[in-house]
Amino acid sequence: PIEGAVGPTYRIPSAQLDQSGDKYKVAISLLTLTEMSDEVTLTVVPDTFPPVIESTGALASESGDTMDVGVTFDEPVTAASASDAGNYSLSAGSVESVMFLDNNYDGSQATPGMEVQGVVITASGLSVGESYTVTVTGVEDPKGNAMEPTTKSFKVGAMKWGAVGADEQGAGRGVVAVAENGFDIYADGVGEWGTYDEATFVYEEITGDFERVLRVEFQDNSSQWARAGLIARDVTNFGVDRTAQTDDGEAGRYQKVHVNPVGPTMTGPGTNGNGSWEGNRRLDTGAATTTAGGGGTPEYPDAWCRMVREGQTITIFSANGDGEWIELGSTTWGEPDAASAIEELPDTLYVGPEFSPENVNITNE
């Protein structure tokens, strides 16, 4: 028996050559009945396979003057080769710089399919709505297997991104576009609660009523309150630090529907994630965060969030893979009662995916 191997899958973080030929079988038990499976043999071959492009996408850079072209790979790659601008070319425009974003997985922490690492190519001369190709060559995995020239197409999406709040921990934020409307979001935000928010936000400006749906495939089990989901903000608060948000009352209003991590987190030994949907909101500028519904257990990679605006009312929903929407709650702005805000929302809101790992809740240990 393998200690801890009691689930529906058993994963070897990194198979080694000396494990080739190992034999496995599984015992499935129900009450007093145990059934033993057939035996299978593991075969491990030397890694002679270069990285493969997993996905591509593009969106406007944080500055808004250039475009961020995202490229992810199907396996870990070396920082030196991945950050070499000479290894990338575009069918149009110019490569200005390349930034490598390491997801810090050591294998044992990752779930299948989440070991990918990405780069952001800052490019000039590209236009929203147009399609281009990127060619990658020479990017290596840790075994020294280098890519031959590989070309993949992408379309520049209309969404933009920015960093809400300051960067109190100094680790930086970033977004890798993985499709026209798909993103890997990197954040080191200390929190998104009370009267201060730090998060990485990908957004579009929407005027009037709207409906938006988001699927959260995965989030790191950083804090028990890490928040990945869909948000509508009245202001972006990009770069607005704690003093301005809290002391000067500039923390913007928002409605969010997001999911928390499931299972053990880095909050502290034995602390599991909240494992639920939340409907957090800030009703008035500079006020404290409140909640508007929540519940249920997210079943990654099919944890769905939905938000509908009708006039001054925003309603939020959750769903797992079965697609059955469950209403979590609603907020109406402009009605002075205990559950609503006095001031109405503007016609135009900033809407899209946002992630805050809530690192303030992670102990030094």
Side-chain angles (χ1 to χ4, degrees):
I2 301 171
E3 183 178 357
V6 294
T9 61
Y10 172 65
R11 184 161 190 254
I12 301 171
S14 180
Q16 303 299 312
L17 285 173
D18 61 8
Q19 293 175 291
S20 190
D22 285 357
K23 299 181 186 298
Y24 294 84
K25 57 186 176 181
V26 59
I28 304 174
S29 300
L30 177 65
L31 300 177
T32 60
L33 176 67
T34 297
E35 191 76 15
M36 194 68 68
S37 74
D38 293 337
E39 190 174 76
V40 297
T41 302
L42 174 68
T43 301
V44 184
V45 298
D47 181 2
T48 59
F49 311 101
V52 172
I53 297 176
E54 182 84 2
S55 64
T56 53
L59 78 167
S61 301
E62 188 177 15
S63 66
D65 298 326
T66 54
M67 297 295 175
D68 285 346
V69 180
V71 180
T72 64
F73 303 97
D74 70 330
E75 63 171 325
V77 293
T78 65
S81 66
S83 58
D84 184 350
N87 288 337
Y88 305 89
S89 62
L90 300 168
S91 57
S94 301
V95 175
E96 303 294 330
S97 63
V98 175
M99 179 175 63
F100 174 61
L101 290 173
D102 186 351
N103 60 17
N104 297 317
Y105 288 129
D106 64 6
S108 63
Q109 297 172 317
T111 55
M114 289 300 157
E115 305 89 337
V116 293
Q117 295 172 302
V119 298
V120 173
I121 304 168
T122 300
S124 58
L126 305 183
S127 300
V128 171
E130 298 297 320
S131 296
Y132 305 92
T133 62
V134 57
T135 300
V136 183
T137 184
V139 173
E140 298 181 351
D141 64 17
K143 298 289 187 181
N145 301 306
M147 294 177 63
E148 295 293 328
T150 305
T151 299
K152 193 159 185 174
S153 62
F154 64 92
K155 184 177 181 180
V156 181
M159 300 186 80
K160 306 174 183 178
W161 79 275
V164 179
D167 186 4
E168 294 185 349
Q169 295 188 324
R173 275 69 85 65
V175 174
V176 180
V178 299
E180 185 179 354
N181 286 302
F183 311 96
D184 286 347
I185 298 177
Y186 292 75
D188 69 339
V190 297
E192 188 181 45
W193 185 255
T195 57
Y196 179 61
D197 303 329
E198 272 193 14
T200 303
F201 182 30
V202 181
Y203 68 95
E204 58 182 328
E205 296 182 51
I206 304 179
T207 300
D209 293 349
F210 64 81
E211 177 182 8
R212 287 294 182 270
V213 172
L214 172 79
R215 178 166 67 96
V216 183
E217 295 184 359
F218 171 86
Q219 68 167 308
D220 276 314
N221 282 18
S222 51
S223 159
Q224 68 188 106
W225 298 107
R227 297 179 167 112
L230 185 61
I231 194 169
R233 288 183 169 275
D234 69 339
V235 295
T236 63
N237 277 154
F238 291 154
V240 181
D241 64 16
R242 185 182 296 272
T243 298
Q245 286 193 49
T246 299
D247 297 345
D248 300 336
E250 296 181 19
R253 297 178 293 161
Y254 69 83
Q255 174 69 67
K256 191 174 186 184
V257 52
H258 59 253
V259 284
N260 307 126
V262 177
T265 68
M266 291 191 291
T267 296
T271 304
N272 287 325
N274 186 52
S276 181
W277 275 268
E278 289 186 309
N280 292 1
R281 61 191 180 179
R282 182 175 292 116
L283 294 172
D284 297 298
T285 302
T289 304
T290 60
T291 60
T297 302
E299 297 177 2
Y300 300 106
D302 289 308
W304 292 83
C305 301
R306 176 176 167 222
M307 181 180 294
V308 178
R309 178 180 183 177
E310 296 175 316
Q312 288 297 318
T313 299
I314 294 180
T315 307
I316 57 174
F317 304 82
S318 67
N320 277 310
D322 57 12
E324 180 181 353
W325 290 112
I326 298 172
E327 183 175 331
L328 299 175
S330 66
T331 303
T332 300
W333 275 263
E335 295 182 358
D337 59 49
S340 303
I342 297 176
E343 184 181 356
E344 291 189 348
L345 287 173
D347 290 340
T348 300
L349 296 176
Y350 302 90
V351 183
E354 187 183 72
F355 173 52
S356 175
E358 287 273 318
N359 286 342
V360 71
N361 295 312
I362 300 173
T363 63
N364 290 334
E365 292 78 9

